[in-house]
Amino acid sequence: MESTSLADAFDSFDETWSPRIVAALNDQHVKVARLDGAFVWHSHADADELFYVVEGALTVEYREDGDVDAVELAAGDLTVVPAGVEHRPVADGEAKVLLFEPAGTLNTGDANDDERTVSVPERL
């Protein structure tokens, strides 16, 4: 067994919206990501996605049945976006976030955003 330092993981890269894999369990990836600004609206048809804020603040906007709402997260808070729910994370300033999602889940989900899609996240 081994341990992972989240501080070291975040210190190993500066890019925003480019998640890195820090662990894997039960066909799930645990990823770290630096977020800043608004991401693209997207959904994951078959995957729930957990956002845990390590540092900073994050708003997760979501659209469901034509309604738009948002969840505000501070450091230590988490939320789970259920499979199929269209969402968009927005960070006002940099946020350091831990993500849990099924292995192989694209960060941009069903959005056609080649500029921000990370097909194969780096493993730290």
Side-chain angles (χ1 to χ4, degrees), residues 48-51 78-82:
D48 295 338
E49 184 175 21
L50 183 145
F51 290 84
L78 67 84
T79 191
V80 174
V81 177

Side-chain angles (χ1 to χ4, degrees), residues 4-63:
T4 300
S5 163
L6 291 180
D8 289 348
F10 283 112
D11 286 346
S12 72
F13 67 99
D14 293 321
E15 298 86 4
T16 57
W17 304 108
S18 184
R20 306 298 206 273
I21 300 168
V22 293
L25 68 156
N26 301 322
D27 298 324
Q28 297 280 315
H29 279 161
V30 180
K31 301 175 184 176
V32 291
R34 292 173 175 269
L35 311 182
D36 193 2
F39 200 54
V40 61
W41 281 99
H42 66 284
S43 65
H44 308 280
D46 300 317
D48 295 338
E49 184 175 21
L50 183 145
F51 290 84
Y52 174 79
V53 178
V54 174
E55 186 177 306
L58 182 69
T59 301
V60 180
E61 298 175 339
Y62 60 93
R63 294 193 286 215

Side-chain angles (χ1 to χ4, degrees), residues 68-105:
V68 177
D69 208 344
V71 175
E72 304 285 335
L73 305 172
D77 293 341
L78 67 84
T79 191
V80 174
V81 177
V85 174
E86 190 177 23
H87 61 284
R88 175 176 81 155
V90 180
D92 185 16
E94 187 176 83
K96 294 178 182 174
V97 176
L98 197 66
L99 304 163
F100 289 76
E101 57 196 4
T105 301

